[in-house]
Amino acid sequence: MLAPILGLSLVASATFDSEQTIEQQTAFFKSQANGKYARVMALKPSATDALEQACRHALTLPKRNSIKADLAIKLNIKLPKKVSFVEATITDYSQQKQGEWLTCSGKVLVADSEVNQAGLAIRAAWKVSTGKDKTSLRPLLKVAMSHTTTISDAVALVAEQSPKSEQLNYLDKYLVANELQLEQAKAAVAKIWFNNQRYKQAIELAKNCESIDCKRLYLAAKTKYEQITADDLSSYF
């Protein structure tokens, strides 16, 4: 029983008043982390059940900032403020409720830097692609294209940014659809397939995607596909 007790006492002794403390706030949580500990506060009653998940995320904030700083220096660009990424596992996790805060500790074991930089690069690239200034898009895509874990999402983005007359051919040539990870990428590919009347492919991809765009495309493609198959059957009568 000593290990859990010691874990709780370590969490209880955590302090967050140093200059090293990182703070982050969303609509649902306020988070603080200092490299050894993290704590989170729910800002809405509906977020209370997700406090542990939020605290685990908060523990990774220093690593996320470090990955972001390294990639920004490497590419000599400014990355979108709200984009971050880390591929990591947390061991020796412990937590304790302290008033409105859930305080936690754990060891954050980060995957190799290439995986993390590629993961951050593709997420930043999708964010940049929706803005007016796209000067950093090319270097971000170059990093994402260079890693097996992100190349399919990068191919989807290149296709989405290409002239409509070239989109389908590019996907046919380079995309491995079952390796898509990001919701934005799945929605973009499904939309291109839908626009080119590949309704069955759009249905198969969109049904495994939870975003609103995917759900809309799924319903639209399913409706079109059912209309076509119904028309085909009617020719037999």
Side-chain angles (χ1 to χ4, degrees):
M1 295 297 292
L2 283 177
I5 293 173
L6 287 173
L8 289 177
S9 65
L10 284 171
V11 172
S13 66
T15 56
F16 295 87
D17 55 358
S18 71
E19 293 182 358
Q20 301 301 318
T21 297
I22 299 170
E23 294 191 3
Q24 185 180 82
Q25 186 166 320
T26 67
F28 295 95
F29 300 102
K30 181 177 181 180
S31 305
Q32 295 180 339
N34 60 16
K36 294 181 179 180
Y37 309 101
R39 65 178 184 177
V40 292
M41 176 193 298
L43 300 179
K44 295 183 178 180
S46 60
T48 303
D49 291 341
L51 272 175
E52 180 179 333
Q53 182 180 354
C55 211
R56 288 178 177 272
H57 180 275
L59 281 171
T60 68
L61 287 177
K63 298 296 185 182
R64 289 171 182 270
N65 281 8
S66 177
I67 294 164
K68 195 169 186 176
D70 289 345
L71 184 61
I73 292 171
K74 178 180 178 178
L75 300 180
N76 192 28
I77 61 173
K78 186 176 181 180
L79 293 166
K81 186 176 181 181
K82 292 186 178 181
V83 175
S84 71
F85 177 78
V86 67
E87 181 73 29
T89 56
I90 298 174
T91 62
D92 300 329
Y93 179 83
S94 60
Q95 64 181 36
Q96 185 177 22
K97 197 74 165 63
Q98 298 174 311
E100 293 182 305
W101 293 94
L102 179 70
T103 304
C104 58
S105 65
K107 295 179 181 177
V108 180
L109 307 176
V110 181
D112 70 77
S113 60
E114 288 186 359
V115 170
N116 278 295
Q117 288 191 5
L120 175 59
I122 189 58
R123 286 159 177 81
W126 275 97
K127 183 68 174 178
V128 168
S129 72
T130 63
K132 293 181 179 180
D133 183 2
K134 299 182 182 181
T135 54
S136 61
L137 186 57
R138 186 177 293 273
L140 288 168
L141 279 171
K142 186 176 180 179
V143 173
M145 283 284 194
S146 69
H147 204 278
T148 56
T149 60
T150 52
I151 187 170
S152 290
D153 292 310
V155 166
L157 179 52
V158 173
E160 193 265 346
Q161 293 288 303
S162 299
K164 289 185 178 181
S165 60
E166 301 174 11
Q167 291 177 337
L168 188 61
N169 287 338
Y170 188 82
L171 291 181
D172 286 345
K173 190 172 182 178
Y174 298 110
L175 180 69
V176 181
N178 62 8
E179 293 181 359
L180 290 168
Q181 296 184 47
L182 299 182
E183 302 279 275
Q184 307 102 299
K186 291 178 182 179
V189 171
K191 184 176 180 180
I192 292 171
W193 282 342
F194 178 86
N195 290 338
N196 287 275
Q197 299 180 8
R198 292 192 180 179
Y199 303 125
K200 193 172 182 179
Q201 285 178 276
I203 290 168
E204 289 301 311
L205 181 57
K207 74 179 183 181
N208 295 315
C209 176
E210 296 300 319
S211 72
I212 294 174
D213 287 340
C214 278
K215 291 182 185 298
R216 288 173 177 167
L217 281 163
Y218 173 79
L219 292 173
K222 190 176 181 182
T223 299
K224 286 287 189 181
Y225 185 69
E226 288 173 349
Q227 288 174 349
I228 290 172
T229 53
D231 290 342
D232 289 342
L233 287 172
S234 68
S235 65
Y236 289 94
F237 299 97

